[in-house]
Amino acid sequence: FSVEGQSFSLELPQDLDGELHEEQRHTIEKFQTDFVMALETYLLAYCNRRGLSPLGTRRMAQAVTTQMSQAGLANLDRGSQATRYFVGSHGLDQRTAYNLSTMQTPEHGECLKLSILCMKTGFCQYLEKDELLRMPGVDCPKRCKPASYLYQYATLRFMPGPPIDNCESTICTLLDALDEAHIDPAGS
C-alpha cells in the first residue's frame, strides 16, 4: 500500500509449522495500526479540504477503502482478460499494490486517485475458463513455462458528487485500465 508516496508493506517469512509467533503478531499489528492511521488521516484531511459533511466524509472513505480491498481486486478481475485463466502451482506469486494520492483537474479541482496493480507470476499450470464452460468435467491443468504471467492495472478517480438525500455523493471514475495475459504453453 502507498498513501501519497508513503509505503506500507508487509511480507512475513513462511513458517514451517504454519503458526504465527509473537514477533510476527506484533509486526502485523504495527503494520495495521500505522497503515490505518496514515490512510484515515489522509482521507479525513482531503474531505476537510473539500468541505464534506461528516456523512459525505464517511461515504468517501467507504468508497475509497472498498476499492483498496479484495472488492477492488474483484472489480479489476471483472473487466480483465486475465480472468480467462485460472493459474496455479507451487511457487505462484501474486503481488498486489494500491497507491492512493491526489490529483488536480481543471474541471473538478482536487480529486483522489487510486491505482491498483495485480501481477501473478511463478506458475506453471493453468486452466482456460472458456474451455471449462464448453467441456464440463474436463479440468486437467495445462502446463506452461515459468515466464508466463498475468498483469492487471487500473486507475480510479474519486471526487465529491451531487447531493443525494441531503448529503454529498461520491463519484468514482475509471481513468485507465490495462491487463495482459501472457501464457507461454510448455513444449512450444
Side-chain angles (χ1 to χ4, degrees), residues 7 23 43 50-51 57 71 74 78 107 113 134 138 142 169:
S7 292
E23 185 178 317
L43 288 173
R50 293 300 306 253
T57 297
R78 216 171 272 125
E107 60 277 355
K113 179 173 77 171
R134 281 192 305 262
V138 177
K142 296 178 184 176
S169 61

Side-chain angles (χ1 to χ4, degrees), residues 23-71:
E23 185 178 317
Q24 290 173 319
R25 281 192 182 91
H26 177 70
T27 301
I28 292 169
E29 287 172 8
K30 180 171 176 15
F31 168 80
Q32 289 172 331
T33 300
D34 292 350
F35 172 64
V36 168
M37 286 183 67
L39 180 60
E40 183 178 75
T41 300
Y42 186 75
L43 288 173
L44 291 175
Y46 169 79
C47 292
N48 187 48
R49 288 191 304 274
R50 293 300 306 253
L52 297 182
S53 66
L55 184 54
T57 297
R58 182 174 174 204
R59 286 180 177 175
M60 179 67 72
Q62 284 176 331
V64 172
T65 57
T66 295
Q67 294 309 310
M68 293 181 77
S69 70
Q70 193 67 31

Side-chain angles (χ1 to χ4, degrees), residues 8-182:
F8 298 89
S9 181
L10 179 66
E11 191 167 330
L12 296 173
Q14 281 293 80
D15 223 11
L16 295 177
D17 61 7
E19 295 292 318
L20 280 180
H21 298 284
E22 193 58 37
E23 185 178 317
Q24 290 173 319
R25 281 192 182 91
H26 177 70
T27 301
I28 292 169
E29 287 172 8
K30 180 171 176 15
F31 168 80
Q32 289 172 331
T33 300
D34 292 350
F35 172 64
V36 168
M37 286 183 67
L39 180 60
E40 183 178 75
T41 300
Y42 186 75
L43 288 173
L44 291 175
Y46 169 79
C47 292
N48 187 48
R49 288 191 304 274
R50 293 300 306 253
L52 297 182
S53 66
L55 184 54
T57 297
R58 182 174 174 204
R59 286 180 177 175
M60 179 67 72
Q62 284 176 331
V64 172
T65 57
T66 295
Q67 294 309 310
M68 293 181 77
S69 70
Q70 193 67 31
L73 286 179
N75 288 337
L76 191 60
D77 269 350
R78 216 171 272 125
S80 170
Q81 294 288 352
T83 58
R84 294 183 333 188
Y85 301 98
F86 299 107
V87 298
S89 67
H90 183 71
L92 172 66
D93 185 25
Q94 177 174 311
R95 299 283 175 168
T96 306
Y98 299 90
N99 181 359
L100 182 64
S101 60
T102 56
M103 63 184 285
Q104 289 289 333
T105 66
E107 60 277 355
H108 304 294
E110 184 183 30
C111 301
L112 292 173
K113 179 173 77 171
L114 175 63
S115 297
I116 305 171
L117 164 82
C118 182
M119 182 140 185
K120 295 177 184 175
T121 59
F123 55 90
C124 60
Q125 296 180 346
Y126 70 100
L127 292 169
E128 292 182 64
K129 188 189 302 184
D130 292 344
E131 283 187 18
L132 291 174
L133 294 173
R134 281 192 305 262
M135 299 184 302
V138 177
D139 57 0
C140 294
K142 296 178 184 176
R143 301 215 33 89
C144 61
K145 294 179 181 174
S148 299
Y149 62 87
L150 301 177
Y151 174 85
Q152 300 165 287
Y153 176 85
T155 302
L156 305 172
R157 178 183 65 205
F158 296 88
M159 60 184 208
I164 296 177
D165 296 330
N166 296 322
C167 177
E168 308 89 353
S169 61
T170 297
I171 296 174
C172 177
T173 306
L174 177 66
L175 298 179
D176 185 27
L178 173 69
D179 73 299
E180 186 176 343
H182 177 78

